[in-house]
Amino acid sequence: MPFVRPYVRSNGTPVRGHFRWAPGARRELTVLALAAVAVVGLGNSNGGADGTTGPRTKPTEGPAVTYPIRFDQNPGRATPRMSVPWPTVAYPIKLATPKKKPAPPAPAVSYPIDFSTLDGGR
């Protein structure tokens, strides 16, 4: 949306500054706004996924879980921390170990080569 600065027409009529919309942009924006209103209107309906309408009721029962959770092997006590890690599987897991790269070969010549010291010349 470019802004058109104020100007005076050739017949002397002053024109205020305004924004120029692309052809059809107002209609497209209106259709988009109506679609957004429709989505919000239908999205806030009281209907449930099972087709029921009306207010939602909260469960009257207490929580199904009792906190803190305690396990049978240590009733009433927290689980002790293990000082040594213990494997969780009975089979060995082989991890890929990186292989050592061989050292790069030493260059046979030292650079830069000075051709003036060679007898053959080029």
Side-chain angles (χ1 to χ4, degrees):
M1 261 188 341
F3 182 75
V4 178
R5 288 179 279 170
Y7 64 96
V8 178
R9 290 185 181 167
S10 61
N11 64 1
T13 308
V15 178
R16 291 185 299 172
H18 60 278
F19 287 100
R20 168 174 271 153
W21 285 50
R26 287 184 196 268
R27 181 182 178 277
E28 289 180 7
L29 185 63
T30 305
V31 170
L32 181 68
L34 290 175
V37 168
V39 167
V40 169
L42 294 175
N44 288 336
S45 68
N46 240 356
D50 56 355
T52 60
T53 57
R56 302 283 184 252
T57 58
K58 292 184 179 179
T60 57
E61 300 173 10
V65 180
T66 312
Y67 293 100
I69 297 175
R70 303 194 188 281
F71 297 97
D72 294 333
Q73 70 264 20
N74 292 326
R77 292 190 315 242
T79 305
R81 293 250 182 226
M82 296 172 58
S83 60
V84 179
W86 193 259
T88 57
V89 294
Y91 53 89
I93 299 174
K94 296 181 180 178
L95 301 174
T97 56
K99 295 180 181 178
K100 279 193 158 187
K101 291 183 180 178
V109 296
S110 62
Y111 292 97
I113 299 174
D114 186 13
F115 290 106
S116 65
T117 58
L118 299 176
D119 290 336
R122 276 195 153 179

